[in-house]
Amino acid sequence: MRANLTRRSLSLVRNLGILAHVDAGKTTVTERVLFLTGAVHKRGEVHDGTTVTDFDPQERKRGITIFAAAVSCDWAGHRLNLIDTPGHVDFSAEVERALRVLDGAVAVFDAVAGVEPQSEAVWRLADRYGVPRIAFVNKMDRTGADLDAAVESIRQRLHAVPLAVQLPIGSEGEFEGVVDLVRMRALTWADGTMAEGVVPEALADEAGRRRRRLEEAVAERHAAALEEFAERSQLSAETLGAALRDLTASGEVVVVLCGAAYKDRGIEPLLDAVVDYLPSPLDRSDADPEQPLAALVFKVQATGTGRLTFVRLYSGTLRKGDSVLDVGAGRTERVGRILRVQADRHSEVDQAVAGDIVALVGPKHAVTGATLAAPEAPVLLESSGSGSGEPVVSVAVEADRNADTGRLAAALARAVEEDPSLSVRTDPETGQTLLSGLGELHLEVAVEKIRQEKEIAVTVGRPQVALREAVVSGVTGFVYRHVKQEGGSGQWAHVVLEVSPLTDTLGATGFTFESRVTGGRVPREYIRAVEAGCRDALTTGPLAGHPVTGLRVVLLDGATHVKDSSEMAFRTAGLMGLRAALRASTLTVLEPVAELTVTTPDDTVGTVLGDLAARRGRVTDSTSRGTTAVVTATIPLAQVFGYATRLRSRTQGRGAFTMRSAGYAPVAGG
């Protein structure tokens, strides 16, 4: 009986994220959700710096979400564990770490802009982790708002099957509500209060046509709905709702709703849709509180009162005072307290069960991606990996006072612990400490946090991009023999290598290794050693010492010595042999590039295009939206530094831009 009750309680949990492009309004949506569910008693506003989830001083100062914030609330008898994620490209790794532990998501889109670059990027991340989504088209009260255009952009740019379950009542400044096409009712808002009524006569025919199209689209994809549709030529609200839930969970369709969050319109039906269509932990995994503990660490945060370790429980029950095993590190940690999180506010609970998202006080060493398990039943969960790619921008950082050098080193180490998409290293030539991250803003935020929280005066150098080296044309049949004899056992290894670009497209990143050795001429353990040596060689390229990427290496043949061959000898042969093969190949230097989407008034387009050309930008698209032009261009990341200030000055403050990573491309003349 207890297990049945527990499973029922898990069916009433929704672990979801709010995903969007920056400025689409997802933090405002989150604030309205918290207010309507009674989690807060006053609406927070981004422009006032009073939001619950954007509680960090930098978030309030900049007016954007930087750190994923977890909150819990209740709606219609269900517990919603909600994570408000960043929308800026520099913090996409934070989004990816959150997606790893979510069961569903709400993707927020601007009703005027539709799908924007970063909303497309986070959508692809959700695809990677198989996270079911519903869509909320926000800002329906804006001039130029168009639900149908936004839905079509979801279809075209995201290659999804969007099914709108609402029809707007009124448009732009006259937007006052929606027709619920599932239950065929009108929902309107006045003074923030929702009222239910009959479908307005002027919209009855259009609502009927859209309901019919919705039924047909669902019946095409759902067996039970098709059976009822064939018998009755229509679907009941119950059958339609159940089919939409199944199709959402499988990822076959995306339910689309609309509203204007800032004016408190559309949030109640959005919450109903979260409950009705998004999966519970039971739907996504075999969550069982009676099984041994298995939890994944997805965020580590240092606070003024100590270290918080955020976890998602996939099985088992965790109680205050329990000892848990950090499986990857082989270390046991003690859980002192378990906290239910409300952004920067917490309430203590005695236990957490499978399906819960909570913060732990006590673990001192567990890092992002670690698995915490019952010591007697260790299991390793798949982590989210490295986030959203390697760091591409670096700055030199040093303490203004020599006395603070040690404190700065400790602060940088803590920053990397909290955010694994940052890295710190010492430049071997200059001795400078280099902080690397995913973008200029990413590094600005990290340094400013150290200044504010640790009260350390820091000097920061000009940003530098992370260059790479890549093979344009390689070599095959390259022979390298490693022989070393200095008394006693020697080292002897013989390898034959083929080196080539990873793909036909110059600018691809990554590394693959393959063995074509036959007849056991090189034992398997030595082949693994050759691969390890090749990976060692990738750290320094022959052109200018940059890491090598986009490389394919094949071990064609080799030979061993009866006494002097060893794994160390073959690892050294892999290292030195690949370095020699690269020197014999033709290489080029790659630089990180970004896709810029610039929005500017028509009368400044020429100026913007000229400036992009001067920055080695390549325009790939240009469209008009009324009196506004949208220009898309690929540009070297190094040329984006300081671009915001330049764009404002050239457009009299009316231009704006967003960007996303576009990989690597050869340096001009490189």
Side-chain angles (χ1 to χ4, degrees), residues 1 6 17 48 79 120 188 206 222 228 240 274 294-295 301 314 320 390 400 405 441 455-456 495 546 613 627 645:
M1 182 68 176
T6 302
D48 291 336
R79 170 164 289 278
E120 186 172 352
T188 56
E206 180 64 17
H222 193 276
E228 181 175 313
L240 182 56
V274 166
Q301 179 183 342
Y314 285 92
K320 184 169 60 174
E390 300 177 338
D400 289 356
T405 300
L441 180 59
E455 297 182 348
I456 302 174
V495 295
H546 305 301
T627 59
T645 302

Side-chain angles (χ1 to χ4, degrees), residues 482 490-494 529-530 564-574:
H482 174 63
Q491 292 187 28
W492 197 97
H494 177 90
V530 173
D564 291 342
S565 288
S566 64
E567 289 187 38
M568 177 59 71
F570 273 88
R571 181 163 186 162
T572 303

Side-chain angles (χ1 to χ4, degrees), residues 320-604:
K320 184 169 60 174
D322 281 355
S323 292
V324 296
L325 176 67
D326 183 337
V327 179
R331 181 190 298 113
T332 300
E333 304 251 32
R334 183 178 179 277
V335 177
R337 298 161 63 202
I338 302 173
L339 305 176
R340 186 82 61 190
V341 182
Q342 289 290 92
D344 60 339
R345 300 190 297 274
H346 319 107
S347 58
E348 191 166 345
V349 295
D350 291 331
Q351 67 176 31
V353 301
D356 267 338
I357 292 178
V358 293
L360 309 180
V361 177
K364 293 181 172 58
H365 304 287
V367 298
T368 300
T371 298
L372 302 182
E376 69 278 7
V379 60
L380 189 64
L381 298 173
E382 181 184 358
S383 176
S384 60
S386 61
S388 295
E390 300 177 338
V392 294
V393 181
S394 301
V395 292
V397 292
E398 63 178 30
D400 289 356
R401 298 187 307 165
N402 289 335
D404 287 336
T405 300
R407 293 178 60 221
L408 175 60
L412 289 170
R414 177 58 61 87
V416 172
E417 181 183 2
E418 289 189 26
D419 183 355
S421 54
L422 292 169
S423 69
V424 177
R425 64 184 177 87
T426 301
D427 188 312
E429 294 183 5
T430 65
Q432 290 179 305
T433 298
L434 300 179
L435 176 65
S436 303
L438 300 179
E440 191 176 10
L441 180 59
H442 189 206
L443 296 179
E444 280 182 20
V445 167
V447 172
E448 189 61 28
K449 191 173 184 182
I450 290 173
R451 286 172 174 153
Q452 290 177 353
E453 296 183 1
K454 306 302 181 183
E455 297 182 348
I456 302 174
V458 179
T459 296
V460 180
R462 177 178 169 78
Q464 301 290 326
V465 298
L467 300 176
R468 296 289 184 266
E469 297 180 21
V471 170
V472 178
S473 61
V475 294
T476 188
F478 189 88
V479 178
Y480 186 84
R481 180 174 293 176
H482 174 63
V483 180
K484 187 176 182 181
Q485 191 73 46
E486 294 180 351
S489 297
Q491 292 187 28
W492 197 97
H494 177 90
V495 295
V496 181
L497 302 176
E498 177 182 282
V499 173
S500 62
L502 186 59
T503 68
D504 293 335
T505 304
L506 191 57
T509 58
F511 169 75
T512 64
F513 179 88
E514 177 188 350
S515 171
R516 294 183 189 164
V517 176
T518 59
R521 289 173 57 80
V522 180
R524 184 173 300 175
E525 62 270 23
Y526 292 175
I527 293 174
R528 288 196 295 265
V530 173
E531 179 180 359
C534 288
R535 291 186 181 276
D536 293 341
L538 298 178
T539 59
T540 307
L543 284 183
H546 305 301
V548 179
T549 193
L551 186 66
R552 180 172 172 266
V553 174
V554 179
L555 178 62
L556 298 173
D557 199 1
T560 61
H561 187 279
V562 66
K563 290 196 301 185
D564 291 342
S565 288
S566 64
E567 289 187 38
M568 177 59 71
F570 273 88
R571 181 163 186 162
T572 303
L575 168 67
M576 304 303 293
L578 180 53
R579 284 184 174 172
L582 289 173
R583 287 194 294 270
S585 303
T586 302
L587 282 85
T588 189
V589 176
L590 303 178
E591 63 182 341
V593 293
E595 181 184 87
L596 245 61
T597 301
V598 184
T599 304
T600 185
D602 283 340
D603 59 0
T604 62

Side-chain angles (χ1 to χ4, degrees), residues 49-212:
T50 57
T51 57
V52 172
T53 52
D54 285 356
F55 58 85
D56 185 89
Q58 290 200 73
E59 293 178 310
R60 293 185 168 178
K61 176 183 177 182
R62 299 174 188 269
I64 61 172
T65 301
I66 295 172
F67 309 106
V71 293
S72 296
C73 54
D74 297 291
W75 181 258
H78 291 67
R79 170 164 289 278
L80 310 184
N81 295 319
L82 189 153
I83 298 180
D84 179 25
T85 64
H88 196 284
V89 64
D90 281 20
F91 308 103
S92 54
E94 188 89 352
V95 180
E96 183 166 359
R97 290 190 285 270
L99 281 169
R100 172 61 180 84
V101 300
L102 297 174
D103 299 318
V106 175
V108 180
F109 299 95
D110 187 307
V112 178
V115 175
E116 298 176 89
Q118 187 59 11
S119 51
E120 186 172 352
V122 296
W123 189 274
R124 301 299 176 217
L125 289 177
D127 281 343
R128 181 185 304 173
Y129 290 102
V131 177
R133 280 141 281 171
I134 60 177
F136 182 71
V137 178
N138 192 27
K139 302 187 179 182
M140 288 295 297
D141 56 329
R142 282 187 61 192
T143 300
D146 188 331
L147 175 62
D148 290 339
V151 169
E152 186 58 26
S153 72
I154 294 173
R155 188 188 320 279
Q156 294 293 331
R157 295 198 60 176
L158 304 180
H159 307 294
V161 180
L163 297 182
V165 296
Q166 294 176 339
L167 170 65
I169 300 176
S171 62
E172 300 181 342
E174 303 299 318
F175 174 74
E176 61 182 48
V178 298
V179 174
D180 175 359
L181 297 176
V182 176
R183 296 176 177 83
M184 290 305 286
R185 57 180 180 163
L187 304 175
T188 56
W189 285 266
D191 301 322
T193 302
M194 187 181 79
E196 181 179 341
V198 298
V199 177
E201 186 175 345
L203 292 175
D205 290 345
E206 180 64 17
R209 285 192 293 270
R210 291 185 180 235
R211 164 64 185 243
R212 183 70 176 181

